[in-house]
């Protein structure tokens, strides 16, 4: 009887132990799958945040270019420009100019009149960020911060410097509705079974204060990704609500194995056949070997999948997530290479800045999904119109860049070729779009910057093309040259 009881106990514990081992393997596999999924979702959220911020903030470049070329500001010119930037921007609560650090112009004035006349050195909670932007001579995204006119928002400030001496003129500031940004990207403390947190107030990254979600999330085993903002970084942390590897059928699996162990032990206790017991142990060993081999194969597959996800994340760093076109970062690199080749080969390069007319109305009337379909169709049409050696990129929103290289040493021929291609592009983009049940017509305004072996900053080339695009838009969508 003692031997039977010992053998029964051995069988029960062995099978239960295998069950615990299987539960552990299943939990580990579930955690690996969860981590891969969370890494993918975090990458998408990070790309969406950066894209939304860049799409909104890039609008200010035309205004900066205007201010730096004028000794005085005319209200009848400034106010319509601020209104245009406000209407075309995403998530913009207001936009203003602060010569000498005093907020003199603001749009819309309604609801923001409390901020008019604000002198930034007197605002203790905002002045350190303003002073840092001036000292470093580059734009910075500050906040989230409490606003004088009420509410909380992000503040994008660009210090403006005039002339060859770089004399400080003042600031252009844009207040971004952070709740609108969160809603557009899909960021919240708890979303789709994930806990999310953002830290790095004023672009201070891991050293900054947490402004969304639970600060303790950064001290756990959460997935953390860096979000690049103008002049700084944020950190985005994500972790499943119930922790890693929770849920599933683990309780049933554990209970099933323990039940099998008890039944086998009872059977062995009844028959007292050592040979049967021995065969059972051998069979269990073979099953465990197969399970280990399967687990090993799954682990190899998981490693391959992680490599694929890492490649995908690297791709998102240089390509637009929606259209798969090169983004601003990759475009600037290619533009720099084109400058070197232009100087070396004495061959002209043309940069076209395209903006879709009436795109905001389509989004407002039919939703962002329809707008995204239009943007993807525009990207396909542009790629099919230009040469394979040309670059088509998306800056964000409804703004695209087409860069033409190798146009030869003669400026007139280069200009004629670019003008003809611009007409082709306008004709192609002007054809009807079929967006599900919606048929839509739109046009494009095109600004062109032609250069030969220039040492000009790539950002300035884009700004010049952008200014020409605005000139074209003022002329009802025709092509403008710079």
């Amino acid at each position: 009887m003692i031997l039977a009881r010992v053998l029964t106990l051995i069988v029960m514990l062995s099978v239960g132990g295998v069950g615990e081992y299987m539960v552990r393997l299943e939990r580990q596999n579930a955690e690996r799958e969860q981590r891969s999924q969370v890494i993918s979702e975090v990458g998408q959220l990070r790309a969406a945040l950066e894209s939304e911020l860049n799409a909104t903030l890039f609008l200010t470049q035309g205004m900066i270019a205007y201010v730096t070329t004028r000794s005085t500001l005319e209200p009848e010119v400034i106010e319509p420009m601020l209104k245009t930037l406000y209407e075309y921007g995403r998530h913009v609560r207001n936009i203003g100019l602060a010569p000498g650090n005093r907020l003199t112009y603001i749009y819309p004035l309604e609801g923001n009149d409390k901020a008019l006349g604000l002198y930034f050195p007197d605002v203790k909670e905002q002045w350190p960020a303003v002073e840092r932007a001036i000292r470093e001579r580059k734009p910075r995204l500050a906040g989230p911060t409490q606003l004088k006119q009420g509410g909380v928002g992000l503040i994008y400030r660009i210090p403006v410097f005039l002339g060859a001496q770089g004399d400080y003129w003042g600031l252009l500031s844009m207040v971004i509705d952070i709740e609108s940004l969160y809603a557009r990207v899909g960021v919240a403390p708890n979303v789709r079974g994930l806990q999310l947190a953002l830290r790095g107030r004023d672009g201070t990254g891991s050293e900054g204060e947490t402004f969304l979600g639970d600060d303790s999330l950064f001290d756990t085993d959460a997935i953390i990704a860096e979000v690049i903002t103008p002049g700084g970084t944020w950190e985005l942390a994500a972790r499943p609500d119930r922790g890693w590897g929770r849920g599933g059928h683990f309780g049933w699996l554990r209970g099933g194995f323990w039940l099998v162990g008890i039944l086998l032990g009872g059977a062995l206790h009844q028959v007292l056949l050592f040979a049967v017991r021995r065969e059972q142990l051998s069979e269990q060993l073979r099953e465990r070997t197969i399970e280990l081999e399967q687990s090993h194969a799954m682990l190899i597959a998981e490693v391959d999948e992680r490599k694929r996800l890492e490649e995908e994340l690297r791709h998102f760093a240089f390509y637009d997530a929606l259209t798969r076109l090169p983004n601003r970062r990759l475009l600037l690199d290619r533009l720099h290479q084109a400058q070197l080749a232009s100087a070396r080969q004495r061959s002209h390069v043309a940069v076209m800045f395209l903006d879709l007319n009436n795109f905001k109305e389509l989004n407002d009337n039919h939703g962002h999904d329809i707008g995204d379909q239009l943007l993807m169709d525009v990207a396909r049409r542009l790629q099919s119109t230009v040469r394979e050696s040309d670059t088509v990129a998306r800056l964000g929103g409804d703004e695209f860049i087409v860069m033409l290289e190798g146009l030869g040493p003669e400026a007139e021929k280069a200009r004629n070729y670019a003008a003809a291609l611009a007409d082709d592009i306008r004709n192609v983009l002007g054809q009807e779009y079929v967006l599900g049940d919606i048929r839509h017509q739109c046009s494009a305004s095109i600004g062109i910057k032609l250069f030969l072996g220039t040492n000009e900053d790539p950002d300035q080339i884009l700004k010049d093309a952008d200014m020409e695009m605005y000139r074209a838009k003022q002329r009802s969508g025709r092509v403008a040259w710079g």
Side-chain angles (χ1 to χ4, degrees):
M1 292 298 295
I2 294 177
L3 179 60
R5 291 175 181 174
V6 170
L7 292 177
T8 299
L9 183 60
I10 290 174
V11 169
M12 184 179 67
L13 293 178
S14 297
V15 177
V18 172
E20 294 295 329
Y21 177 78
M22 289 300 299
V23 168
R24 185 174 62 190
L25 287 180
E26 286 292 324
R27 196 182 298 278
Q28 290 173 350
N29 290 335
E31 180 176 345
R32 281 194 292 269
E33 292 175 1
Q34 274 187 311
R35 284 189 176 275
S36 297
Q37 183 178 358
V38 172
I39 288 172
S40 177
E41 292 190 26
V42 167
Q44 293 174 9
L45 289 174
R46 178 183 64 181
L49 278 170
E50 293 178 349
S51 176
E52 287 296 314
L53 287 173
N54 289 333
T56 300
L57 303 182
F58 187 75
L59 292 173
T60 61
Q61 301 305 314
M63 174 65 77
I64 296 302
Y66 176 85
V67 171
T68 56
T69 58
R70 297 293 190 278
S71 58
T72 60
L73 300 180
E74 301 82 7
E76 62 272 14
V77 176
I78 291 298
E79 292 174 1
M81 290 184 70
L82 291 177
K83 178 181 179 182
T84 299
L85 292 178
Y86 173 81
E87 291 175 348
Y88 276 89
R90 290 183 181 176
H91 323 297
V92 178
R93 181 166 173 177
N94 64 67
I95 183 169
L97 284 172
N101 294 326
R102 186 175 297 279
L103 193 58
T104 306
Y105 301 92
I106 189 168
Y107 187 90
L109 183 59
E110 182 178 355
N112 298 294
D113 50 345
K114 292 182 180 179
L116 196 63
L118 178 71
Y119 185 56
F120 286 111
D122 292 340
V123 185
K124 295 181 180 180
E125 62 272 23
Q126 294 188 25
W127 177 242
V130 174
E131 186 181 32
R132 181 178 178 184
I134 297 172
R135 184 177 64 254
E136 295 178 353
R137 302 175 73 89
K138 63 182 182 181
R140 294 195 63 85
L141 183 67
T145 187
Q146 189 70 38
L147 304 174
K148 286 291 183 182
Q149 58 271 45
V152 178
L154 297 171
I155 305 178
Y156 180 54
R157 299 189 181 96
I158 306 175
V160 181
F161 299 88
L162 304 179
Q165 301 299 323
D167 296 326
Y168 176 65
W169 174 86
L171 293 170
L172 186 148
S173 67
M174 178 184 289
V175 177
I176 297 172
D177 187 342
I178 195 167
E179 295 300 329
S180 173
L181 175 65
Y182 288 163
R184 170 66 176 169
V185 176
V187 172
N190 289 279
V191 59
R192 295 190 299 276
L194 290 179
Q195 290 180 293
L196 297 181
L198 277 169
R199 71 179 176 186
R201 188 185 300 274
D202 294 333
T204 52
S206 61
E207 302 298 324
E209 179 183 348
T210 298
F211 54 86
L212 176 74
D214 187 357
D215 180 65
S216 64
L217 192 61
F218 290 96
D219 297 326
T220 66
D221 53 356
I223 300 298
I224 298 178
E226 183 179 70
V227 179
I228 299 175
T229 65
T233 60
W234 294 344
E235 280 196 346
L236 172 63
R239 189 174 186 269
D241 281 335
R242 301 171 60 184
W244 300 107
R246 300 295 180 184
H249 56 281
F250 305 129
W252 287 100
L253 184 63
R254 177 182 285 112
F257 269 92
W258 280 109
L259 179 60
V260 169
I262 293 172
L263 293 175
L264 287 177
L268 184 63
H269 181 73
Q270 295 296 322
V271 298
L272 295 176
L273 294 177
F274 180 75
V276 174
R277 168 62 179 160
R278 182 174 166 185
E279 182 63 24
Q280 288 175 341
L281 291 175
S282 298
E283 182 63 23
Q284 292 172 19
L285 180 60
R286 285 194 297 269
E287 290 176 356
R288 184 169 179 179
T289 301
I290 293 173
E291 291 165 358
L292 288 173
E293 291 174 351
Q294 292 174 343
S295 298
H296 179 68
M298 292 175 64
L299 180 61
I300 293 176
E302 178 65 22
V303 171
D304 292 340
E305 177 65 12
R306 175 165 294 188
K307 290 181 179 178
R308 186 190 67 79
L309 289 173
E310 290 174 351
E311 288 296 326
E312 189 170 276
L313 286 175
R314 282 193 289 269
H315 178 83
F316 282 141
F318 294 99
Y319 289 87
D320 178 56
L322 177 64
T323 63
R324 303 292 180 175
L325 294 176
N327 61 15
R328 181 181 180 86
R329 181 183 297 179
L330 182 55
L331 171 64
L332 289 175
D333 180 72
R334 290 188 180 179
L335 182 53
H336 177 66
Q337 298 301 322
Q339 288 180 285
L340 297 178
S342 175
R344 184 171 60 253
Q345 301 170 6
R346 303 302 299 167
S347 181
H348 282 84
V349 177
V351 175
M352 297 183 181
F353 196 112
L354 289 80
D355 181 85
L356 301 180
N357 298 320
N358 303 321
F359 177 75
K360 186 175 185 297
E361 287 76 6
L362 177 68
N363 260 352
D364 292 343
N365 294 332
H366 300 288
H368 292 291
D369 290 340
I370 295 299
D372 288 347
Q373 292 182 41
L374 175 67
L375 293 176
M376 290 187 287
D377 199 352
V378 168
R380 287 190 291 269
R381 294 187 186 190
L382 287 175
Q383 289 179 307
S384 65
T385 304
V386 303
R387 303 171 299 181
E388 289 186 359
S389 60
D390 298 330
T391 295
V392 178
R394 181 188 178 210
L395 294 182
D398 58 344
E399 295 177 339
F400 295 80
I401 294 292
V402 175
M403 184 173 68
L404 312 175
E405 298 183 57
L407 301 184
E410 297 182 25
E412 188 63 25
K413 289 184 178 180
R415 182 183 295 269
N416 291 338
Y417 178 86
L421 183 59
D423 289 338
D424 291 343
I425 288 174
R426 293 185 73 248
N427 290 334
V428 168
L429 297 185
Q431 296 174 10
E432 185 180 62
Y433 295 84
V434 180
L435 310 171
D437 297 330
I438 299 169
R439 296 181 178 274
H440 179 71
Q441 294 281 153
C442 75
S443 61
S445 299
I446 303 177
I448 305 177
K449 170 72 174 181
L450 187 70
F451 65 87
L452 174 67
T454 180
N455 292 324
E456 198 171 12
D457 182 75
D459 270 318
Q460 186 60 48
I461 294 175
L462 294 181
K463 291 177 184 178
D464 292 343
D466 185 22
M467 289 296 295
E468 297 303 324
M469 183 276 294
Y470 274 106
R471 286 179 52 204
K473 187 176 290 292
Q474 292 170 357
R475 296 187 302 180
S476 301
R478 297 181 179 275
V479 178
W481 285 85

